[in-house]
């Protein structure tokens, strides 16, 4: 068997959709598993809709989820001479012909056919005219086979048979010299040596149009596989009304790229009951036979659960690195600059069990930046009072007696004070928590002190006592 060569070929007409990422992912996994080549091709021949901004968005999205390509990115607009050369080749071998039908004539005939209940396909009017050198505006059409069947052994859907008697003589070169999608795709897949074309099943009707072009050009026909679409919870095609569909929107929402990959691969593929996979496991275990042939339903709650699991299991330093852009976006640039990567990873460990997204995590870690705590009004009003001030002062005095922070020693000192005062743990813990974090909810008190360090812990306790004694 020749080396596996697969491709992801998005059109740059908008953001990179999560359905596109899943298609790219399945191709990438297959290439990596087989020691093959993964090609990135930008299909930008739609001049009216393709933009450089969209191309950049595709590249950024692919890089974010870690789907690296071996060749490319190629742009179809840079390969126009190749398409025209092969189009003329089809003309010379009798597999194509010039069509001089005007657009308004074609539209009128289409409506007439539809009114009669007939197929709106081209009626072949120019097929046998033998126009060699058109003197007027003309498009080049492919002579589609008019009888027989095309059988596709689909990697995902199994054997599919198409009747060619209904095939249309599709335009392969427009009158402006631009190739059409179905033609440029064939030329690219053939010249790039693509062995497996795996794409969304919205392209299934294009396959019987493309196979005869491969054959007419004398190129080997690749194996085809068509992935079912992703549906929303209402079983309609996934769209903006179901939530974000841009892959980069999930980065902004605080999802980890590996969590997105894990979730998307499970949208239509399974390996027993296993839910969470490393990249290495995905590459080792992936197979087309376990890709389902029915549509998958997007479940935001499942994605959120997977992301939370990845936050817990990923290395704190990796999570901290991914967290930085969101901290900057939240206005903490200056504070982030002043802390070490190690400290930020320590803060991640402090809060990771409590968060499902990095956006959640930003809110949890905010209190540990800067010198002072920012108090929630109700929290301060309830727990930093003249009644709690003496307790906090006693604790501060004890902590000040320790020249260095020791989690064990400080915790023992804390418990001893609670015992001596004959109070419940919460009667001291909650005022301390508010003094240190400004909030009534936080991770463990002594883990918080460890992250703040001795000097900031003491400073915040002093400020808490001032607030408890009536200072604004």
């Amino acid at each position: 068997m020749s080396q596996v060569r697969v491709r992801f070929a998005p059109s740059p007409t908008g953001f990179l959709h999560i359905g596109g990422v899943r298609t790219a992912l399945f191709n990438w996994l297959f290439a990596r598993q087989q020691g093959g080549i993964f090609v990135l091709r930008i299909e930008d021949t739609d001049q009216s809709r393709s933009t450089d901004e969209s191309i950049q968005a595709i590249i950024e999205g692919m890089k974010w989820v870690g789907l690296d390509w071996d060749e490319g990115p190629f742009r179809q607009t840079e390969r126009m001479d190749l398409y025209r050369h092969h189009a003329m080749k089809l003309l010379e071998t009798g597999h194509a012909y010039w069509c001089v039908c005007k657009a308004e004539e074609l539209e009128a005939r289409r409506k007439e056919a539809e009114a009669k209940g007939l197929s709106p396909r081209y009626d072949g009017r120019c097929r046998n005219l033998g126009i060699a050198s058109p003197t007027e505006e003309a498009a080049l059409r492919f002579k589609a086979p008019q009888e027989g069947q095309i059988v596709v052994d689909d990697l995902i859907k199994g054997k599919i048979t198409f009747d060619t008697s209904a095939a249309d003589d599709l335009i392969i070169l427009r009158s402006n010299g631009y190739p059409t999608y179905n033609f440029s795709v064939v030329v690219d897949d053939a010249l790039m040596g693509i062995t497996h074309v795996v794409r969304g099943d919205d392209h299934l009707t294009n396959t019987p149009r493309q196979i005869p072009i491969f054959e007419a050009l004398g190129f080997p026909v690749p194996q085809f596989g068509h992935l079912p679409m992703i549906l929303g919870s209402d079983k309609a095609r996934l769209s903006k009304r179901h939530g974000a569909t841009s892959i980069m929107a999930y980065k902004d929402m605080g999802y980890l790229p590996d969590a997105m990959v894990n979730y998307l691969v499970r949208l239509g593929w399974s390996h027993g009951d296993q839910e969470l996979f490393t990249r290495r496991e995905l590459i080792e275990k992936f197979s087309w036979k376990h890709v389902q042939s029915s549509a998958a339903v997007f479940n935001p709650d499942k994605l959120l659960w997977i992301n939370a699991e990845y936050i817990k299991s990923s290395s704190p330093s990796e999570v901290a690195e991914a967290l930085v852009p969101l901290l900057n976006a939240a206005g903490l640039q200056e504070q982030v600059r002043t802390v070490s990567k190690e400290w930020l990873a320590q803060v991640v460990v402090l809060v990771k069990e409590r968060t499902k997204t990095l956006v959640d995590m930003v809110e949890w870690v905010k209190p540990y930046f800067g010198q002072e705590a920012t108090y929630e009004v109700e929290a301060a009003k309830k727990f930093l009072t003249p009644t709690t001030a003496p307790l906090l002062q006693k604790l501060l005095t004890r902590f000040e007696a320790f020249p260095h922070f020791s989690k064990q020693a400080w915790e023992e000192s804390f418990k001893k004070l609670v015992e001596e005062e004959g109070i419940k743990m919460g009667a001291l813990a909650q005022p301390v928590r508010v003094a240190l974090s400004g909030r009534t909810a936080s991770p463990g008190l002594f883990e918080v002190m460890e992250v703040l360090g001795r000097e900031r812990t003491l400073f915040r306790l002093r400020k808490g006592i001032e607030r408890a004694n009536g200072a604004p």
Side-chain angles (χ1 to χ4, degrees):
M1 182 179 173
S2 60
Q3 185 184 38
V4 164
R5 292 179 62 87
V6 294
R7 47 71 160 184
F8 176 52
S11 298
T13 56
F15 54 74
L16 182 57
H17 193 280
I18 57 174
V21 176
R22 186 190 65 164
T23 298
L25 172 60
F26 283 11
N27 279 284
W28 182 87
L29 288 172
F30 184 55
R32 295 292 169 260
Q33 183 191 75
Q34 298 293 320
I37 300 296
F38 179 58
V39 178
L40 177 60
R41 185 172 78 223
I42 307 296
E43 298 188 338
D44 60 344
T45 54
D46 186 341
Q47 294 170 287
S48 62
R49 299 175 64 215
S50 297
T51 66
D52 288 340
E53 291 78 14
S54 293
I55 292 173
Q56 194 56 42
I58 289 167
I59 290 171
E60 285 177 6
M62 293 285 284
K63 286 182 176 178
W64 181 62
V65 290
L67 300 183
D68 56 325
W69 51 91
D70 304 299
E71 295 178 11
F74 298 105
R75 290 182 64 166
Q76 287 188 324
T77 48
E78 295 171 352
R79 299 166 60 82
M80 302 303 288
D81 289 344
L82 288 171
Y83 308 133
R84 290 171 186 140
H85 170 75
H86 285 85
M88 292 304 106
K89 203 170 167 184
L90 289 177
L91 180 65
E92 290 162 12
T93 56
H95 289 101
Y97 61 92
W98 289 111
C99 173
V100 294
C101 296
K102 301 286 189 289
E104 55 271 21
E105 295 172 351
L106 293 170
E107 179 64 15
R109 279 183 239 154
R110 185 187 67 78
K111 287 181 178 177
E112 186 181 336
E114 284 180 341
K116 294 178 180 177
L118 302 173
S119 169
R121 63 180 178 149
Y122 179 62
D123 61 8
R125 193 160 299 196
C126 295
R127 185 180 178 112
N128 298 310
L129 294 182
I131 302 170
S133 301
T135 56
E136 54 189 311
E137 197 174 78
L140 195 65
R141 286 186 183 271
F142 177 70
K143 278 188 180 176
Q146 300 296 292
E147 57 185 28
Q149 294 179 325
I150 292 174
V151 179
V152 177
D153 194 8
D154 194 281
L155 289 164
I156 296 156
K157 296 180 178 293
K159 192 163 285 188
I160 307 171
T161 302
F162 299 94
D163 186 358
T164 57
S165 63
D168 199 357
D169 283 358
L170 57 89
I171 292 173
I172 57 175
L173 212 59
R174 297 185 181 93
S175 57
N176 64 3
Y178 261 69
T180 56
Y181 167 78
N182 277 303
F183 181 62
S184 56
V185 161
V186 170
V187 173
D188 283 337
D189 285 341
L191 297 183
M192 292 177 184
I194 302 302
T195 58
H196 299 72
V197 173
V198 181
R199 54 195 179 186
D201 63 5
D202 51 333
H203 286 285
L204 190 57
T205 54
N206 289 324
T207 300
R209 296 171 181 164
Q210 293 170 8
I211 288 175
I213 301 176
F214 276 104
E215 293 171 339
L217 286 169
F219 292 125
V221 178
Q223 280 190 270
F224 287 92
H226 293 89
L227 293 165
M229 64 178 64
I230 301 173
L231 305 179
S233 55
D234 57 359
K235 302 299 190 294
R237 185 167 185 167
L238 192 67
S239 65
K240 287 181 181 177
R241 74 172 184 276
H242 299 111
T245 55
S246 160
I247 192 64
M248 294 307 280
Y250 286 92
K251 179 184 180 183
D252 297 338
M253 288 159 61
Y255 287 82
L256 294 174
D258 281 343
M260 288 301 304
V261 164
N262 195 136
Y263 179 71
L264 289 175
V265 81
R266 289 287 289 110
L267 274 181
W269 175 84
S270 62
H271 182 80
D273 295 327
Q274 188 171 346
E275 290 286 355
L276 302 175
F277 300 84
T278 64
R279 291 274 175 133
R280 184 181 293 277
E281 284 178 317
L282 286 176
I283 291 169
E284 289 172 355
K285 299 176 188 299
F286 183 78
S287 71
W288 296 119
K289 68 179 180 180
H290 290 133
V291 175
Q292 66 187 40
S293 58
S294 56
V297 176
F298 189 83
N299 183 341
D301 293 335
K302 182 71 171 289
L303 171 58
L304 195 60
W305 174 79
I306 287 177
N307 199 62
E309 293 300 307
Y310 268 82
I311 286 175
K312 291 174 192 171
S313 63
S314 298
S315 84
S317 58
E318 287 179 10
V319 176
E321 188 178 345
L323 186 65
V324 167
L326 293 170
L327 289 170
N328 290 339
L332 295 169
Q333 299 99 318
E334 291 304 317
Q335 293 94 320
V336 170
R337 282 197 198 100
T338 62
V339 300
S340 67
K341 291 179 180 178
E342 292 74 20
W343 182 83
L344 193 53
Q346 191 181 0
V347 177
V348 167
V349 172
L350 187 69
V351 303
K352 67 178 185 176
E353 296 290 332
R354 297 166 175 264
T355 59
K356 292 183 177 180
T357 70
L358 297 183
V359 169
D360 291 344
M361 189 173 280
V362 167
E363 291 305 310
W364 275 100
V365 304
K366 271 183 180 179
Y368 311 111
F369 285 91
Q371 184 72 357
E372 295 191 34
T374 301
Y375 304 119
E376 291 177 346
V377 175
E378 289 303 314
K381 186 177 179 182
K382 184 175 181 181
F383 292 105
L384 299 181
T385 65
T387 307
T388 61
L391 269 176
L392 290 173
Q393 183 60 58
K394 287 179 182 179
L395 185 68
L396 174 65
T397 302
R398 293 185 180 213
F399 284 176
E400 285 176 330
F402 293 100
H404 306 288
F405 173 78
S406 163
K407 185 179 174 186
Q408 183 180 348
W410 286 38
E411 191 167 357
E412 286 174 1
S413 178
F414 183 97
K415 288 177 179 177
K416 193 172 181 182
L417 178 60
V418 168
E419 188 180 324
E420 289 172 2
E421 294 292 323
I423 58 176
K424 290 183 177 179
M425 185 72 75
L428 180 58
Q430 280 301 82
V432 171
R433 179 169 282 110
V434 174
L436 296 183
S437 71
R439 303 176 179 184
T440 54
S442 79
L445 271 186
F446 299 97
E447 285 77 13
V448 168
M449 292 176 192
E450 192 170 27
V451 161
L452 289 174
R454 179 181 185 275
E455 296 309 317
R456 275 202 300 161
T457 296
L458 298 179
F459 178 85
R460 290 190 179 195
L461 280 174
R462 292 185 196 109
K463 286 292 181 181
I465 292 165
E466 290 176 13
R467 179 64 175 260
N469 284 322

